[in-house]
Amino acid sequence: MKFDINEIRGLFPVLHQEVHGKPLIYFDNAATTQKPKAVLDALMNYYEHDNSNIHRGAHALADRATQYYENTREAVREFINAKESAEIIFTKGTTESINLVAQTFGRKFIGQGDEIIISTMEHHSNIVPWQMLCEEKGAILKVIPIHDNGELDYAEFEKLLSQKTKLVSIVHASNALGTINPVKQIIEAAHAVGAKVLLDGAQSSSHLEIDVQALDCDFLALSAHKIYGPTGLGVLYGKRKVLEAMPPFLGGGEMIKEVTFEKTTYNDIPFKFEAGTPNIADVIAFKEALDFIKGLGKPVIKAHEDELLAYSNELLKDVKGFIPVGTAADKVSVLSFNINGMHPFDVGQMLDARGIAVRTGHHCTQPLMKRFGIEGTVRASFSVYNTKSEIEQLAEGVARIAKIKNK
Amino acid sequence: MSIQEIQDEIVSEFEILGDDRESTIFYIMEIGNNLEAFPEEEQKEENIIKGCQSKVWLIADEKDGKIHFQADSNTDITKGLIYLLIRVLNDRKPEEIIHADLDFIQKIGMGGIIGSQRSNGLAAMIKQMKLYALAFQTKLNASNGN
């Protein structure tokens, strides 16, 4: 597929509406991306033609639904270049994927005095599950500091690593700042001391090519809704060996081999971790989102988003009172900023009046905001369907708002 | 002026602004500057109204049977909203505040202007002002020997 911005925008029905009498400019893509029509059609099509429970039904509909469901698993495998589709587990989202690892891998393999390393720029969903585990097990949480520009302090990370480190759980690209972390290097260093590595790919997976075999990460967590797919669906990738060594997460149907009242034996991966009837419709529709990305190619998507980010920086850098937050050299398309003298929530509301949707607040990264000594930021995050003209309108809006307190 | 008269006055002021959302928000931010200076030492945890996303401090005092409110916030839009509430409810008898029907909020379509999060915050502010009024009423009744 050739990159034609009008054609791409035409695939996303939600973009074509007015908000408060102005054309919608959707810049809250780091929170959730919009969905191409093919995803919506697949959802409807599933319920209209194929709805049935998967894996056990002895009838045509169940066979079809099972096949489509497993097709998506294979598409996800290809998307992250996993060795086999059995290493792909469907969850509710990145949050559940991380909690799954904490509650199974963590409970079995992390004990008293062991250390888990995270970074200052983690989302709460990559902080709290580890705090819960540490509290239960008497393990210790270590935090990699960051530099003022929002880049990881890699030298400090190396100092934190030791034989006590059992797990490094780190964000690939920061949702609040956009910083891309040197994950390949981090994974190698962690493996050298025998630690496993979990990558939080929630924010990176729509922008960056992820090859779990090349990276050699032990786990990868991501959310479908941030990569043009449905909400309430996520993925946990784990290496076969690691997943097999882990106890199950939730108990119930699907995840068992045989149940007696005396003893239950568990199913093989991935089913061991997919108890109960899964989110069949959303899984099936998710394949359309992956096909959309594949059709364009991530490098093409990234190049477009990089151009938008560079353009926004160029237009805003000289606006009086504009304070960028997170200026790492290597970033995904997240523009986080404040306006001198103004609360981010007020700025967000004023942009909303112009039909511009941004996120304001702490972005579920309160420790990171504390590191910068701020309450929150305004975050405009760009996606494949955004345009340079939309960036110009954002810049015009920000300039006008900034003028109120920065004459 | 009665509570109702002030509310009607506010409604007509907002009518002049018309439908332009941005101008309305600018106006709300602007009127927040009319708030009486809030004592810095009162910007403490116990004076924060729960249920607001932004920080709102509210204190109240009673003089000659009437309640005087002072409030502040860390955001300009919220300051404007509190200013409107104080303009309507300040220096009135507790029972007036308790029974006040604040219909101006709905009449000016405030919910649509400020969105659901801030509307919840606004409701929390009103509730807190009415709770103060109730507390002062109870206190006044007790000291009057009722």
Side-chain angles (χ1 to χ4, degrees):
Chain A
M1 188 172 159
K2 197 178 129 286
F3 192 90
D4 176 338
I5 189 70
N6 290 322
E7 199 183 318
I8 289 168
R9 289 182 66 80
L11 301 176
F12 292 82
V14 81
L15 298 176
H16 308 281
Q17 63 174 296
E18 291 201 336
V19 170
H20 314 314
K22 314 262 164 52
L24 167 68
I25 297 178
Y26 186 79
F27 283 157
D28 196 14
N29 295 291
T32 195
T33 56
Q34 298 302 343
K35 323 302 172 199
K37 182 136 193 314
V39 170
L40 312 179
D41 288 345
L43 273 174
M44 188 62 110
N45 190 61
Y46 164 74
Y47 283 119
E48 279 182 354
H49 301 288
D50 308 317
N51 178 48
S52 55
N53 212 330
I54 53 169
H55 292 139
R56 289 174 304 274
H59 56 87
L61 266 62
D63 271 353
R64 281 210 300 266
T66 302
Q67 193 195 323
Y68 296 148
Y69 183 89
E70 291 303 325
N71 285 351
T72 302
R73 203 189 300 277
E74 171 56 25
V76 174
R77 184 209 63 74
E78 192 189 324
F79 185 69
I80 59 171
N81 193 33
K83 204 177 278 174
E84 46 176 324
S85 63
E87 294 174 322
I88 307 299
I89 297 157
F90 289 117
T91 64
K92 279 196 304 199
T94 302
T95 299
E96 190 180 65
S97 298
I98 296 174
N99 275 276
L100 192 162
V101 176
Q103 292 300 318
T104 63
F105 173 84
R107 275 186 162 163
K108 186 162 176 185
F109 296 108
I110 294 173
Q112 179 87 29
D114 287 342
E115 293 179 359
I116 300 167
I117 298 180
I118 60 172
S119 83
T120 305
M121 66 180 96
E122 300 309 320
H123 188 282
H124 295 163
S125 62
N126 198 23
I127 302 173
V128 184
W130 308 119
Q131 284 175 327
M132 288 161 66
L133 181 69
C134 286
E135 200 166 314
E136 186 185 316
K137 293 288 182 177
I140 298 152
L141 194 64
K142 298 268 179 180
V143 184
I144 313 165
I146 58 167
H147 298 295
D148 289 343
N149 66 355
E151 283 176 4
L152 200 75
D153 188 337
Y154 191 83
E156 285 301 314
F157 163 63
E158 285 187 315
K159 285 186 206 159
L160 290 177
L161 273 178
S162 76
Q163 294 301 320
K164 287 185 196 159
T165 312
K166 289 289 171 298
L167 181 76
V168 177
S169 190
I170 188 138
V171 71
H172 191 183
S174 154
N175 71 311
L177 307 174
T179 309
I180 300 170
N181 283 319
V183 290
K184 175 97 176 115
Q185 211 181 342
I186 290 169
I187 293 164
E188 274 176 24
H191 283 170
V193 298
K196 298 275 186 269
V197 180
L198 185 153
L199 271 195
D200 170 358
Q203 208 55 239
S204 62
S205 45
S206 70
H207 313 285
L208 307 175
E209 300 250 46
I210 298 177
D211 180 334
V212 292
Q213 291 188 72
L215 287 171
D216 199 28
C217 58
D218 301 280
F219 301 104
L220 169 77
L222 56 87
S223 295
H225 75 98
K226 290 191 199 282
I227 42 180
Y228 314 106
T231 56
L233 175 66
V235 168
L236 173 67
Y237 156 82
K239 285 181 182 165
R240 173 179 275 276
K241 253 189 165 167
V242 184
L243 291 177
E244 280 179 343
M246 283 156 53
F249 180 39
L250 302 173
E254 185 88 7
M255 52 80 71
I256 51 89
K257 196 164 268 166
E258 192 183 358
V259 177
T260 67
F261 284 118
E262 290 71 37
K263 184 168 172 61
T264 292
T265 50
Y266 303 123
N267 206 337
D268 296 328
I269 62 163
F271 309 112
K272 184 168 87 173
F273 296 105
E274 290 182 2
T277 297
N279 190 351
I280 304 167
D282 290 322
V283 167
I284 290 174
F286 183 34
K287 181 167 184 301
E288 298 298 328
L290 297 172
D291 286 349
F292 166 74
I293 295 174
K294 195 170 143 186
L296 282 171
K298 275 199 207 169
V300 173
I301 296 174
K302 175 86 167 34
H304 175 70
E305 292 168 343
D306 283 351
E307 193 184 344
L308 296 177
L309 182 65
Y311 193 43
S312 68
N313 279 320
E314 183 193 322
L315 293 184
L316 285 163
K317 68 179 193 309
D318 296 326
V319 170
K320 205 171 170 194
F322 174 77
I323 308 162
V325 181
T327 50
D330 206 7
K331 277 178 64 164
V332 293
S333 50
V334 168
L335 176 78
S336 225
F337 65 94
N338 270 307
I339 290 178
N340 178 42
M342 298 191 75
H343 195 279
F345 196 18
D346 286 353
V347 178
Q349 205 140 43
M350 281 185 281
L351 288 172
D352 177 59
R354 292 175 164 245
I356 303 174
V358 294
R359 185 79 147 204
T360 67
H362 53 63
H363 316 297
C364 295
T365 57
Q366 284 179 355
L368 177 64
M369 295 297 119
K370 200 174 164 195
R371 158 65 177 79
F372 284 111
I374 54 180
E375 214 175 304
T377 71
V378 181
R379 181 187 70 186
S381 47
F382 313 128
S383 185
V384 65
Y385 39 69
N386 291 124
T387 67
K388 286 182 97 171
S389 142
E390 288 179 325
I391 300 285
E392 283 159 11
Q393 289 169 71
L394 171 73
E396 190 189 311
V398 170
R400 177 160 149 80
I401 295 161
K403 225 176 223 170
I404 300 174
K405 293 282 169 85
N406 301 277
K407 282 175 183 145
Chain B
M1 272 204 283
S2 72
I3 283 182
Q4 197 53 53
E5 281 165 347
I6 296 183
Q7 292 198 81
D8 291 345
E9 199 176 77
I10 293 173
V11 172
S12 54
E13 286 165 12
F14 272 78
E15 270 166 7
I16 296 167
L17 290 168
D19 285 340
D20 186 65
R21 208 181 170 81
E22 198 172 21
S23 324
T24 308
I25 292 175
F26 280 3
Y27 178 71
I28 295 172
M29 289 176 72
E30 192 65 36
I31 57 175
N33 293 327
N34 297 327
L35 275 176
E36 191 181 330
F38 191 82
E40 215 166 294
E41 67 274 13
E42 296 292 349
Q43 283 189 358
K44 51 190 177 189
E45 194 62 34
E46 63 199 79
N47 291 329
I48 286 182
I49 299 179
K50 290 181 183 67
C52 299
Q53 206 204 19
S54 40
K55 280 197 181 112
V56 181
W57 297 272
L58 177 73
I59 52 173
D61 205 0
E62 176 264 329
K63 201 181 167 195
D64 303 331
K66 289 178 177 173
I67 302 179
H68 186 72
F69 291 106
Q70 279 181 290
D72 201 359
S73 172
N74 62 342
T75 93
D76 294 313
I77 294 178
T78 308
K79 270 185 166 176
L81 298 176
I82 317 170
Y83 169 71
L84 289 174
L85 292 181
I86 287 189
R87 188 171 149 196
V88 174
L89 296 176
N90 222 11
D91 301 315
R92 299 193 181 274
K93 290 181 192 147
E95 57 267 33
E96 282 184 277
I97 297 166
I98 294 164
H99 299 299
D101 174 14
L102 300 175
D103 60 2
F104 80 99
I105 294 169
Q106 189 245 326
K107 278 186 183 159
I108 61 183
M110 190 60 93
I113 300 166
I114 60 175
S116 58
Q117 276 188 61
R118 275 214 151 104
S119 291
N120 292 339
L122 189 62
M125 288 179 225
I126 295 168
K127 190 175 157 198
Q128 191 59 37
M129 291 173 97
K130 291 199 171 202
L131 279 173
Y132 264 122
L134 200 62
F136 279 114
Q137 189 184 45
T138 311
K139 196 172 141 197
L140 287 168
N141 285 346
S143 61
N144 290 340
N146 292 334

